Amino acid sequence: MAGEKKIDGNILAARAFARTGIDHMFGVVGIPVTSFANSAVKEGIRFIAFHNEQSAGYAASAYGYLTGKPGLLLTVSGPGCVHGLAGLSNAMINTWPMVMISGSCDQADVGKGDFQELNQLEAVKPFVKFSGKAHKVSEIPALVSQAVGFAAKGRPGGCYIDFPTDVLHESIDVSEADRLLAGIHPFVPIWALPSLPPPELKQDIQTAVSMLRQAQRPLIVVGKGAAYARAEGPLSDLVRLTGIPFLPTPMGKGLLSETHELSATAARSLAIGQCDVALVVGARLNWLLHFGEPPRWASDVKFILVDVSREEIELRKPSLGLIGDARVVLQEINKEIKDEPFALGRNHPWVGRIISKASENVKKMGAVLAKDVVPFNFQTPMRIIRDALLAQGSPAPIVVSEGANTMDVGRAILLQTEPRTRLDAGTWGTMGVGLGYCIAAAMASPERLVVAVEGDSGFGFSGLEVETLVRYKLPVIVIIFNNGGVYGGDRRNVEDIQGPYKNDPAPTSFVPGAAYHTVMEAFGGKGYLVGTPRELQSALTEAFLKRNPAVINVTIDPYAGAESGRMQHKN
C-alpha cells in the first residue's frame, strides 16, 4: 500500500492466505491472533466468529468438503488449540481439506510456563498430514503455501500452522514481503484440474470394465469422496450406459437423485448381500459398509475399489484397485464402455429384483408414514419435513443431520436429489457437528436454504451458535427432535435404579419439555414450539418462506426411539 515501509506478521499471514484464493475463515479470536483475524478481513477473507472452537472447526472441515478449498480454522494458543482438535480430527477422518492456525507463546518464553503455553506441534500430530511452525516472519508465506497445498493433495485431510506471538509482531520490509508472497499461487480444487489419468491406469480400466460386463449382479457404491470430486456427471453417464443399480453411502446420497429408478437405497440389504461385483467409488470399506465382509456381503463378492489413496487400496486388498480421482476414473471407465455398451435394462433379472425390492420397501415405509402419530414418533414429523424439503425444488436445501434416532430415521426417510446436500455425523460418527456444518453450508452455498434435523442431545453440543446464525443473518432452520434426552428419557430398568444417587436424573435424561425455541428468540431469531402435524407444517411453511434463522422445537414421545439408534449392539 502507498507509503507503507514495513508490515508485521499478522498482515503478512493474512496476505499469504488471501493469495491462495481462500476467502473464508472460521474461529474464535483472542491473544495472540485477534490482529491476524482483523488483517485477514481487510485482505478480503470473511471471518466467521464462533463461540467455541469445536463448532468453528467442524465448520472449517465441512467447508473444505463443500467447496474443495481447504477450510481455515483460527484458534488462540493452548486450550484454544486443544478445542480445535475436534474439528481437525474430524477433517482428517472424513478426509476433508482443512488448515488449523493457532497462535502460540513467545519463543523466548517456551518452557517457562508462559500464558497458555503448549507444545502444539506435538498435540496435533495424530490429526494432520502436515504441520509447521513459523520461527521468523519471513517463513510465513512458504508455510501457508505448503499447508494449503498439502491439505488437498492426494487424500485430503488436516494440516496445522503454528504462529508464535513474537513472529506475528515481527516486522518485514514490504518489498521483501511482496517477493515472498509472489511464490504463492491461487489454490485450484481437484475438480477444476484437467482430467489427466496416468497411462498405467488404462489396463486396469479395461479389466474393471470386463469385470462389470461379465458380472451377473453388479452394483455401484458411491461415497462422499465421489461427491467431493464432483463425480456426479460421469456417475450419471455410467449408470445410463450400463443400467447398473447404485447405492450411495449417507453423504453420497444425492450424487444421483434418490428418486432414480436404479437407486438401491431402499433395497440396501439385498444389494450388498447378493451383488457379485461391486464398483466402490470414493467410499471406504469401513464400518459404514460393514468392512466389505460376510455376512452382510457375499463371501465371493469382487470389489473394484476407486480411491485417490494407494494406501487405502493396499489396506482393503480389493480384487482390483483403481488409484485416482473419482471423477477422472469414472470418465475413463465410460470411455472404455462406449465402444461396446452393455446396458442391463429393466428386464435384467438382477435389476428387476432390485427395483422390485426397493418398491416393496418403499410401500412398507409409505404405510408407516401415512399414519399421523401424536404424540409424535420419529416417522410422522420426518415425513412432514421430507415433503417440505422436496417442495423447495432446485436448488435443493442442504440437510444437516445428527443424533442417534433422528439421524438414523432421517437417513431412511429424507430424500436427497442433488449432490452435496447431506451432511451428517460422517465416518467418525461425530456428534456436535450440527450448527458448525450449518454455518459452513450457508457460506459455501448461499443460494441454498440450510435445514438442520437433529436430536436434542446433538443440538446441545453447539446450541449457543444459534446466536452466530442470527448475527450473520444466515438462512438456516434448525429442527430439534426433543424427546428429553439421549435416545429419550429415563430408560433404566428398575434394578438399575440403585445406589446413593438413585434419585438423580438418568444419565440419558434432560429437562423434560426444554424450551429450545426460546434460546433462538433470546438472540432475535424466530422460535416455534410444535407437537402436531398442522403446527409443524405451518412452522415449516413460514420458516422456509422467510429464510431467516429459526429453531423449530418438535416435541417427541420420549419413548419413541431406540437406545443407541441402530447400533444397540455397540452399547
Side-chain angles (χ1 to χ4, degrees), residues 21-76:
I22 295 175
D23 52 12
H24 282 78
M25 185 185 298
F26 309 88
V28 178
V29 297
I31 297 171
V33 296
T34 305
S35 294
F36 169 54
N38 288 329
S39 297
V41 172
K42 287 191 286 187
E43 295 298 327
I45 297 173
R46 190 176 190 189
F47 188 85
I48 309 301
F50 280 70
H51 290 275
N52 181 280
E53 291 92 350
Q54 286 191 10
S55 291
Y58 296 142
S61 67
Y63 188 82
Y65 166 65
L66 292 170
T67 66
K69 296 180 179 182
L72 302 184
L73 166 66
L74 179 65
T75 83
V76 300

Side-chain angles (χ1 to χ4, degrees), residues 375-378 405 456 482-491 512 555-562:
F376 276 148
N377 58 10
F378 282 85
N405 293 286
D456 50 354
N482 184 356
N483 60 0
V486 182
Y487 315 130
D490 190 342
R491 291 167 175 265
T555 302
I556 304 291
D557 182 344
Y559 298 102

Side-chain angles (χ1 to χ4, degrees), residues 4 42 443:
E4 199 172 33
K42 287 191 286 187
M443 295 297 159

Side-chain angles (χ1 to χ4, degrees), residues 272-449:
I272 68 174
Q274 298 189 20
C275 70
D276 58 354
V277 175
L279 174 64
V280 182
V281 185
R284 282 173 281 177
L285 295 174
N286 57 17
W287 68 278
L288 286 163
L289 289 172
H290 315 291
F291 310 109
E293 297 172 352
R296 302 300 292 271
W297 294 84
S299 58
D300 59 350
V301 63
K302 294 181 174 66
F303 287 107
I304 304 168
L305 186 56
V306 179
D307 200 285
V308 75
S309 167
R310 178 180 298 276
E311 291 75 16
E312 179 67 20
I313 288 174
E314 291 174 348
L315 172 67
R316 306 297 175 183
K317 297 179 175 59
S319 299
L320 178 65
L322 302 177
I323 302 169
D325 172 58
R327 177 178 57 92
V328 175
V329 172
L330 288 182
Q331 286 173 345
E332 294 305 303
I333 289 175
N334 290 339
K335 288 178 185 176
E336 184 69 24
I337 290 173
K338 278 182 179 177
D339 295 334
E340 205 176 334
F342 62 95
L344 300 184
R346 284 181 59 96
N347 294 327
H348 188 280
W350 172 241
V351 175
R353 287 173 64 196
I354 292 290
I355 291 176
S356 176
K357 188 63 175 178
S359 177
E360 176 188 332
N361 288 340
V362 167
K363 286 180 181 177
K364 286 181 181 177
M365 178 62 77
V368 173
L369 296 179
K371 303 171 185 175
D372 281 344
V373 178
V374 180
F376 276 148
N377 58 10
F378 282 85
Q379 287 78 12
T380 295
M382 205 68 77
R383 180 206 76 215
I384 296 168
I385 294 166
R386 178 200 64 188
D387 294 345
L389 290 168
L390 290 174
Q392 294 298 298
S394 186
I398 293 177
V399 175
V400 176
S401 185
E402 66 175 333
N405 293 286
T406 307
M407 185 172 65
D408 288 337
V409 175
R411 185 184 299 131
I413 297 174
L414 303 179
L415 297 176
Q416 259 60 54
T417 59
E418 295 179 1
R420 294 167 296 281
T421 56
R422 178 182 172 85
L423 296 166
D424 63 24
T427 307
W428 221 13
T430 310
M431 293 298 158
V433 296
L435 272 293
Y437 279 9
C438 286
I439 293 164
M443 295 297 159
S445 301
E447 76 284 3
R448 295 184 188 269
L449 181 69

